[in-house]
Amino acid sequence: MEFERPLIDLEAKVDELRRLDLADNPDLAHEIDELAAQIEQLRHDTYQHLSPWDRVQISRHPERPKTQHYVEQLFDDVIEIHGDRAFGDDEAIFAGLGTIGGRKVAILGHRKGTNTKENIRRNFGSPHPEGFRKAMRVMDLADKFGLPIVSFLDTAGAAPGLEDEERGQAWAIAESLAKLSAVRVPVVCVGIGEGGSGGALAIGFGDRIMMLENSYYSVISPEMCAQILYKDTKQAEPAASCLKMTAEDLVGLGIVDEVLPEPEGGAHRAPAEVFAAVGPAIERALDALAGTAPDALVAARYERLRAVGVFGDIAGE
């Protein structure tokens, strides 16, 4: 990642020095050890002071755990559901049923690939309308059989192509959000990477919303925001700071409930640690919501959704 470049360069130089024969030069060996210690301190300082743009880069790391990895690691008895019964099966959305902690749940998630071929098939995690319609099939099943919904968010946004719009992309997103708002079962959302625009919101609003430390959730990507504000996508870094898109920012705004810490450097550095934190967090959220009456769930979710954002009345000024 761009912000790690100084660290990588220094580590390469130390590795090069360590390959020298230092048997006759103990002073140089000592200096290399001191340099290595300084690099370790620099690494710690770097990850303790990440900017919003740094976190966006971490959220997009190709080795970061993806929805399918969380499904594999955290759920048992998983049955994937395919297709929207209208057009086709969109691999950019995972939809299925499973169990976690012995509790039956419905599972949704944006699904990116782990290599180029998978990413092409899954449109790099940007769903088509049929993906959202597949998600709505699972929402209906969850509502009918009283299954809580667990949703994983990781998309730069919905597919914006002409054919997507011709197949009703905007309509599908709106319908999905409306259905998710009205289901009479608990909904727990986990931001695991990118959370861009309506594509994330369509399956990404619920009774409990938690985000990994280096994930983001925003109305627009930093690059597109920079294009609109500055006519220059190279201004994405200042745009990211303005958008208040990090997990910490969103907890402060009352949109997100909990930040889940990541290993130093990001979730890709130690995925097992992340799975070990996310699984119990989901179970805690489901336990807390389990006794809530359906009417109360829907009413609280509605009020929560309506409270997002700030507006004023300028009439009469």
Side-chain angles (χ1 to χ4, degrees):
M1 290 174 281
E2 182 182 314
F3 69 92
E4 292 179 311
R5 180 57 56 190
L7 276 172
I8 293 172
D9 290 344
L10 286 171
E11 287 172 341
K13 288 179 181 177
V14 168
D15 289 342
E16 187 177 337
L17 289 171
R18 288 195 188 282
R19 286 194 290 272
L20 298 175
D21 184 0
L22 302 177
D24 298 329
N25 197 341
D27 290 342
L28 181 56
H30 179 68
E31 289 179 13
I32 293 173
D33 288 340
E34 287 187 341
L35 181 57
Q38 291 173 10
I39 292 173
E40 198 57 38
Q41 183 61 47
L42 177 60
R43 182 198 313 281
H44 180 72
D45 292 344
T46 298
Y47 293 129
Q48 289 296 310
H49 301 91
L50 293 171
S51 70
W53 181 237
D54 295 336
R55 295 192 190 279
V56 170
Q57 293 178 65
I58 295 175
S59 77
R60 295 171 175 172
H61 195 286
E63 296 176 7
R64 190 173 177 84
K66 299 171 176 61
T67 289
Q68 57 269 32
H69 301 133
Y70 289 92
V71 173
E72 291 168 4
Q73 294 294 323
L74 304 182
F75 296 86
D76 298 315
D77 308 318
V78 175
I79 300 174
E80 184 173 355
I81 293 173
H82 298 274
D84 68 339
R85 294 182 173 174
F87 184 83
D89 185 33
D90 182 5
E91 290 195 33
I93 289 282
F94 176 90
L97 306 174
T99 62
I100 181 169
R103 178 187 279 114
K104 295 178 181 177
V105 297
I107 311 165
L108 297 173
H110 305 99
R111 182 164 54 183
K112 296 179 178 176
T114 55
N115 54 51
T116 302
K117 285 185 178 179
E118 279 188 353
N119 266 319
I120 290 172
R121 289 206 317 269
R122 296 170 182 173
N123 201 30
F124 295 84
S126 292
H128 301 289
E130 50 271 25
F132 295 119
R133 294 187 182 109
K134 178 170 65 174
M136 285 188 274
R137 283 187 61 202
V138 170
M139 293 177 199
D140 284 336
L141 283 173
D143 213 12
K144 181 176 181 179
F145 295 106
L147 302 176
I149 297 172
V150 179
S151 186
F152 295 94
L153 316 183
D154 188 16
T155 182
L162 176 61
E163 292 183 351
D164 296 295
E165 296 300 341
E166 289 175 340
R167 296 202 297 274
Q169 181 70 292
W171 189 261
I173 292 171
E175 278 191 322
S176 185
L177 180 56
K179 191 175 288 292
L180 190 61
S181 302
V183 292
R184 295 167 60 80
V185 294
V187 180
V188 174
C189 301
V190 187
I192 59 173
E194 295 188 270
S197 193
L201 191 61
I203 64 167
F205 197 84
D207 307 299
R208 291 288 186 278
I209 304 176
M210 56 190 81
M211 291 176 62
L212 290 181
E213 180 181 354
N214 294 311
S215 58
Y216 79 83
Y217 200 3
S218 173
V219 68
I220 193 172
S221 71
E223 289 90 340
M224 290 306 297
C225 180
Q227 180 64 34
I228 292 171
L229 291 182
Y230 307 112
K231 309 299 182 189
D232 182 3
T233 57
K234 293 180 181 176
Q235 299 301 315
E237 182 169 2
S241 297
C242 295
L243 283 168
K244 299 295 183 185
M245 63 201 307
T246 68
E248 185 178 354
D249 288 332
L250 294 168
V251 167
L253 291 170
I255 296 173
V256 167
D257 300 293
E258 182 179 0
V259 179
L260 302 177
E262 297 186 28
E264 191 171 78
H268 58 284
R269 300 270 186 181
E273 291 183 25
V274 180
F275 299 140
V278 171
I282 292 173
E283 292 186 48
R284 286 196 302 273
L286 292 173
D287 288 343
L289 295 166
T292 309
D295 286 345
L297 273 177
V298 175
R301 198 182 306 140
Y302 177 81
E303 291 301 325
R304 179 174 183 156
L305 186 58
R306 295 288 294 175
V308 174
V310 177
F311 67 91
D313 185 355
I314 60 173
E317 290 187 2

